[in-house]
Amino acid sequence: DTAVSQTPKYLVTQMGNDKSIKCEQNLGHDTMYWYKQDSKKFLKIMFSYNNKELIINETVPNRFSPKSPDKAHLNLHINSLELGDSAVYFCASSQERAAAGNTIYFGEGSWLTVV
Amino acid sequence: QKEVEQNSGPLSVPEGAIASLNCTYSDRGSQSFFWYRQYSGKSPELIMFIYSNGDKEDGRFTAQLNKASQYVSLLIRDSQPSDSATYLCAVRPAGATNKLIFGTGTLLAVQP
């Protein structure tokens, strides 16, 4: 069973379109994240949710809107896609356990290409 | 200054050698430090984490932390071609239990 699963894995779309990426985790974690990895491999946090509540929003354009219907799901909706949105988007989750370093576990990534 | 800095590489080592990967960070209050491995086209996977000064060993991997110098490293002993990947250093800032700041990663190439 995949611990953090996200769909779709690949997405090619035109500028101006709206698209969503879905994420689910079956680890029982309380916190979920969206990270963006650009073409230079730089992995940067976008959002963090704890028990369905937004706790981190890292100055992401408001075209990006995360939604967490429950603590096991965190979806990402992107409006009016731009060329610069092309990247790999990773969903992740963690449980607050100091003994485990509050380790973050990543999904397999969603490759978004905007043309 | 970037919050977490790594040499992008590539770092090339022969099979069987020790690979040494380095990372510096700017937030002196940072508490936890992580090393992730990312194969091309795959997601980052945790190798190990460290939060106390000194060394922490796990199999062929040793993480070293020096908070005074704001420096963390990863040693890979007996490097194998299968270790060839990008190694990402990540730091949890002070007071931020739900956030990791990543470096840009070091590409390691182990030559058979």
Side-chain angles (χ1 to χ4, degrees):
Chain A
D1 279 349
T2 304
V4 182
S5 58
Q6 49 185 113
T7 56
K9 184 164 185 176
Y10 300 102
L11 186 53
V12 180
T13 189
Q14 291 187 326
M15 279 196 309
N17 283 351
D18 304 338
K19 291 294 177 187
S20 293
I21 307 172
K22 295 185 177 180
C23 179
E24 175 182 5
Q25 55 94 4
N26 62 6
L27 296 167
H29 289 169
D30 290 331
T31 305
M32 295 186 72
Y33 311 80
W34 279 107
Y35 276 82
K36 178 181 179 181
Q37 189 170 44
D38 62 23
S39 57
K40 296 183 180 178
K41 291 283 194 177
F42 184 49
L43 191 61
K44 184 172 168 57
I45 190 169
M46 300 173 68
F47 301 103
S48 173
Y49 271 72
N50 183 272
N51 278 317
K52 302 190 298 178
E53 291 193 18
L54 179 67
I55 53 174
I56 292 175
N57 181 341
E58 288 286 309
T59 59
V60 178
N62 58 15
R63 297 183 296 104
F64 291 79
S65 52
K67 286 192 171 44
S68 182
D70 55 61
K71 75 173 192 178
H73 296 83
L74 180 62
N75 304 321
L76 182 65
H77 188 76
I78 314 171
N79 289 326
S80 303
L81 279 155
E82 300 177 357
L83 293 177
D85 297 331
S86 296
V88 185
Y89 292 85
F90 286 101
C91 179
S93 72
S94 69
Q95 182 70 13
E96 195 163 328
R97 288 194 300 127
N102 302 338
T103 300
I104 292 178
Y105 296 91
F106 287 88
E108 295 184 343
S110 295
W111 271 252
L112 173 64
T113 302
V114 183
V115 297
Chain B
Q1 181 190 5
K2 290 182 182 175
E3 293 178 270
V4 180
E5 293 208 52
Q6 298 180 253
N7 188 323
S8 62
L11 173 65
S12 183
V13 300
E15 184 174 357
I18 295 175
S20 178
L21 302 155
N22 305 315
C23 173
T24 58
Y25 58 95
S26 60
D27 182 356
R28 186 170 287 279
S30 298
Q31 295 297 316
S32 308
F33 308 86
F34 301 76
W35 283 100
Y36 282 80
R37 176 176 62 199
Q38 187 175 25
Y39 292 110
S40 181
K42 301 294 185 181
S43 61
E45 54 180 336
L46 180 72
I47 298 174
M48 61 194 306
F49 67 92
I50 186 169
Y51 46 80
S52 299
N53 274 329
D55 295 0
K56 179 181 179 182
E57 188 174 316
D58 184 359
R60 294 187 296 114
F61 300 96
T62 299
Q64 298 176 317
L65 175 61
N66 183 326
K67 289 187 178 180
S69 300
Q70 295 174 238
Y71 175 91
V72 58
S73 64
L74 179 71
L75 300 178
I76 307 175
R77 288 181 299 282
D78 189 24
S79 296
Q80 301 297 309
S82 59
D83 295 326
S84 298
T86 296
Y87 288 80
L88 300 169
C89 172
V91 173
R92 176 163 285 119
T97 57
N98 294 303
K99 180 177 178 178
L100 284 184
I101 308 295
F102 282 83
T104 52
T106 298
L107 177 61
L108 173 67
V110 180
Q111 307 299 326

